[in-house]
């Protein structure tokens, strides 16, 4: 992953303030990318899976459906 792609991942991870940010999302997304998944789809799935993980572990999960956060990732 190049420097520019790393910035995209960081932005996606930090737009999810109450779930385990970078580590969980990056691990999931990198695994999906290694399997050949398209980047945007991998980011969306990684965020969703990290939210599931956080909820399962009793952590607060922020759902940004109100449209007040960054979109398009």
């Amino acid at each position: 992953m190049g420097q520019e792609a790393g910035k995209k991942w960081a932005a996606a991870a930090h737009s999810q303030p109450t779930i385990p940010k970078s580590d969980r999302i990056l691990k999931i997304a990198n695994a999906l990318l290694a399997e050949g998944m398209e980047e945007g789809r991998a980011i969306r799935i990684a965020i969703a899976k990290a939210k599931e993980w956080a909820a399962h572990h009793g952590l607060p999960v922020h759902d940004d459906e109100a449209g007040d956060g960054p979109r398009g990732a």
Side-chain angles (χ1 to χ4, degrees), residues 1-67:
M1 176 173 11
Q3 188 175 16
E4 195 62 35
K7 290 177 185 177
K8 287 182 186 177
W9 289 117
H14 291 293
S15 71
Q16 305 299 320
T18 59
I19 61 174
K21 293 181 185 167
S22 301
D23 289 344
R24 179 82 29 202
I25 293 172
L26 291 174
K27 286 177 184 177
I28 296 167
N30 284 333
L32 294 171
L33 286 173
E35 294 176 4
M37 186 172 289
E38 181 268 323
E39 185 177 284
R41 185 168 185 227
I43 293 170
R44 290 187 300 275
I45 291 171
I47 291 169
K49 292 295 183 182
K51 284 181 179 181
E52 287 177 15
W53 180 89
H56 179 74
H57 287 84
L59 300 172
V61 178
H62 175 72
D63 188 9
D64 194 17
E65 292 300 316

